[in-house]
Amino acid sequence: MYAFDVVRPSSLDEAVAALGEEDAQALSGGQTLIPTLKQRLAMPSKLVSLTGIADLQGVSADGGTITIGGATPHATVAAEAGSFPALAQLAGNIGDPAVRNRGTIGGSLANNDPSACYPAAALGAGATITTNSRAIAADDYFQGLFTTALDEGEVVTSVSFPVPEKAAYVKFEQPASRFALVGVFVTKSGGDVRVAVTGASNDGVFRWSEAEAALSGNFAPEAIDGLSVSGDDMISDLHGSGAYRAHLVGVMTKRAVAAANG
Amino acid sequence: MAEITLTVNGRSVTKSVKGNTLLVEFLREDLRLTGTHVGCDTSQCGACVVHVNGKDVKACTMFAVEADGAEVATIEGEAAPDGTLSAVQAAFQEHHGLQCGFCTPGMVMTATALLRDNPKPTEAEVRDYLEGNICRCTGYHNIVKAIMAASGQDVTSIAAE
Ligand SMILES: Cc1cc2nc3c(=O)[nH]c(=O)nc-3n(C[C@H](O)[C@H](O)[C@H](O)COP(=O)(O)OP(=O)(O)OC[C@H]3O[C@@H](n4cnc5c(N)ncnc54)[C@H](O)[C@@H]3O)c2cc1C
Ligand code: FES
Ligand code: FES
C-alpha cells in the first residue's frame, strides 16, 4: 500500500469537510477498498473513516419504509431488517460472517460492483439513496460498471426501502467468492412488479422490463416462459459465458418469483 | 503516524502506528502476537480472524487505527492464564480438528464467535458459518465435529474419523 493517513471523524459534517481535501477518500467497512489499496489500484492521501459516525448507523422501520444508515454493516441489516425479510436475507448471505461484520451498505452501493447483491435490492425495491446533499432514486443512481450518480466526496448517509408486499432475492453463487454469478431481486407491490438483475450484465445491475411487464399481469414463474435476455451484453469470464449467464437470468427470476409467492 | 490505545486480550496497549498498518501487522509485528496468521492477505481464508468488540473480523482487512479504543481478542487470550484450554480449543485437540494447524487460530476464533451467538448450532449452521475459513488439510470434517462437541452436543453419530 502507498502511504496515507486515516482519520475517524465522529460527525458527518467533519467527514464531508475532510473528504473535500484533495485525494481524500471515504473508508467504510474496507472490505473492498483495503484489497484495492493493497493492489495499489488507488492512491488516496487520506482515508476518512465513516464507521465512527453514529448518525450513519442502524436500521429503523417507519410505516411502510425501512431506512438503513449508510455505514451499517451487513450483519446488522441481517439481524434487524426483519420487516423486509428479503433484504435481511440478502444481507445475511453476503460473503462470510467476518465480511458481514465489517462491510456496509453504503460501501456496497458506492462501489457498485457488477456482481454485488445490494444494488439488486436497491433497484428491485425502488429504494432512495440519500447523501449528504440530496436524495437519489435507485433508477437514476446506478450508471454502469462501478459507476454511480455520486459526485466526488459525496457520502451515502442512508438508504430507504419501501417495503414491498412480496419480495425475494435469489443468487446463484460464484462458489469461491460467494458474489452473485447471477442474482435476481423481485418485488411486487399491488400491480407494480420490479425485477432487478445483478452479476449478469456488462453494464452492471439492470431492470428486466419484459419480465416485469409479464409478471405484473400474472405474478407466477410461468409468466416469463418464452422470455429471454440476450447473452451478447452479458459478462463472459472463466466462471460462465454470456449465454450461460443469460440463461441463469431466466432461471433465477423464476425461482425468485416462486420464493416471493412463498 | 497516529497514537492508538486499545485493549488486547484484556491488557491496555498504547502505540504509534502508520495509517496503512493493518490490524494483523500490528498484532504480529508490533505486539509480537504471532498466533494470528496471514494465509492469503486477500480476505479469503480466515486465518487472521480476531474479535474486535466481540465481533469476528479479518484482521488483514482492517487498519490498526480503526481499532483505536476497541477491545481486541486474539487466539493468545483464549486459554486461561494457567494454560487450561478454552472449550473450543480443547474440542479441537480431542477431536483432531487440526493437522498442520495453520488455519486453526482463525477457526477457533470464528467458532468461538459462532457459539457465543448460537450456543447449539446444527451441523449445517456450523458449516455455513465457516464459509470464510479455509483449511487445506483436514477436509473440515473434524473441525465441524470439534465445534459441535464444544457446543456440548453429542458427536458420536458424526461418522468417519
Ligand atoms: C470475501 C468477500 C466476499 C464478499 N462477498 C460479497 C457478496 O457475496 N455480495 C456482495 O454484494 N458483496 C460481497 N463482498 C463485498 C462486501 O459486501 C463489501 O463490504 C462491500 O462491497 C463494500 O462495502 P465496504 O463497507 O466494505 O466499503 P469500502 O471497502 O470501505 O468502500 C468501498 C468504496 O465505496 C466508497 N464508500 C464507502 N462508503 C461510502 C459511503 N457511505 N458513501 C460514499 N462512498 C462510500 C469507498 O470510498 C470505496 O471507494 C465480499 C467481500 C469479500 C472480502
Ligand atoms: S489472511 Fe486474512 S483472510 Fe486470509
Ligand atoms: S490444519 Fe492445515 S490448513 Fe487447516
Side-chain angles (χ1 to χ4, degrees):
Chain A
M1 280 182 276
Y2 296 107
F4 48 77
D5 290 328
V6 182
V7 292
R8 299 175 77 213
S10 55
S11 77
L12 180 62
D13 288 347
E14 287 169 82
V16 170
L19 285 167
E21 289 170 36
E22 190 154 340
D23 296 328
Q25 188 173 358
L27 168 68
S28 196
Q31 302 302 293
T32 296
L33 184 54
I34 295 177
T36 310
L37 292 166
K38 286 180 182 177
Q39 292 175 56
R40 297 194 164 198
L41 294 173
M43 201 167 91
S45 59
K46 179 185 271 189
L47 294 183
V48 180
S49 167
L50 303 177
T51 53
I53 303 171
D55 287 348
L56 301 189
Q57 292 291 335
V59 177
S60 60
D62 179 17
T65 304
I66 186 160
T67 300
I68 298 171
T72 308
H74 310 327
T76 302
V77 177
E80 295 178 14
S83 62
F84 188 172
L87 184 67
Q89 192 223 351
L90 173 148
N93 280 314
I94 291 176
D96 57 60
V99 167
R100 295 194 287 272
N101 281 334
R102 296 290 304 165
T104 67
I105 187 167
S108 178
L109 292 178
N111 194 48
N112 193 17
D113 186 299
S115 302
C117 300
Y118 268 126
L123 192 61
T128 301
I129 291 111
T130 303
T131 73
N132 54 302
S133 56
R134 57 188 168 142
I136 311 169
D139 283 320
D140 303 322
Y141 177 86
F142 299 102
Q143 303 194 343
L145 230 50
F146 298 106
T147 312
T148 69
L150 293 176
D151 291 330
E152 193 100 343
E154 194 171 358
V155 176
V156 174
T157 54
S158 68
V159 188
S160 299
F161 296 84
V163 178
E165 228 169 81
K166 292 182 176 183
Y169 177 64
V170 176
K171 77 169 160 176
F172 192 93
E173 280 181 26
Q174 200 271 76
S177 76
R178 298 172 293 278
F179 272 89
L181 194 62
V182 169
V184 177
F185 201 100
V186 170
T187 60
K188 179 182 187 300
S189 295
D192 189 19
V193 173
R194 294 171 72 106
V195 177
V197 181
T198 189
S201 167
N202 276 322
D203 292 328
V205 67
F206 70 95
R207 284 174 68 185
W208 186 15
S209 36
E210 292 87 351
E212 291 179 351
L215 289 164
S216 46
N218 173 21
F219 195 70
E222 324 64 273
I224 60 161
D225 278 342
L227 293 185
S228 61
V229 292
S230 157
D232 295 348
D233 295 326
M234 297 284 140
I235 299 168
S236 208
D237 60 18
L238 80 165
H239 306 298
S241 65
Y244 180 62
R245 279 189 168 81
H247 175 71
L248 280 181
V249 171
V251 176
M252 293 300 116
T253 303
K254 286 188 176 186
R255 285 189 192 168
V257 172
N261 280 328
Chain B
M1 297 290 268
E3 190 173 89
I4 59 170
T5 299
L6 61 162
T7 308
V8 179
N9 300 331
R11 245 194 256 151
S12 178
V13 186
T14 299
K15 283 213 183 266
S16 279
V17 293
K18 288 194 281 188
N20 65 5
T21 301
L22 297 166
L23 178 58
V24 73
E25 287 178 282
F26 175 74
L27 294 170
R28 289 180 55 86
E29 286 162 34
D30 293 354
L31 304 186
R32 303 305 296 162
L33 293 171
T34 54
T36 302
H37 290 169
V38 178
C40 65
D41 199 27
T42 58
S43 355
Q44 304 294 321
C45 76
C48 64
V49 169
V50 300
H51 299 174
V52 175
N53 294 329
K55 304 279 185 202
D56 39 331
V57 305
K58 291 176 174 173
C60 75
T61 312
M62 174 168 174
F63 294 116
V65 291
E66 296 182 276
D68 188 19
E71 288 198 24
V72 175
T74 71
I75 189 69
E76 285 88 348
E78 289 303 292
D82 70 357
T84 306
L85 298 180
S86 73
V88 173
Q89 288 175 310
F92 268 66
Q93 185 179 53
E94 169 71 18
H95 296 281
H96 207 69
L98 61 151
Q99 289 180 22
C100 79
F102 195 83
C103 69
T104 313
M107 289 287 181
V108 168
M109 297 312 285
T110 301
T112 303
L114 165 67
L115 297 185
R116 197 153 42 200
D117 288 348
N118 182 358
K120 293 269 182 271
T122 63
E123 185 179 337
E125 285 170 339
V126 171
R127 288 185 183 275
D128 192 48
Y129 205 86
L130 294 179
E131 245 180 38
N133 292 76
I134 293 174
C135 174
R136 290 285 86 139
C137 303
T138 64
Y140 303 95
H141 190 84
N142 285 352
I143 293 176
V144 174
K145 189 171 180 177
I147 297 169
M148 295 295 284
S151 73
Q153 303 186 75
D154 178 22
V155 292
T156 42
S157 64
I158 300 183
E161 281 297 323

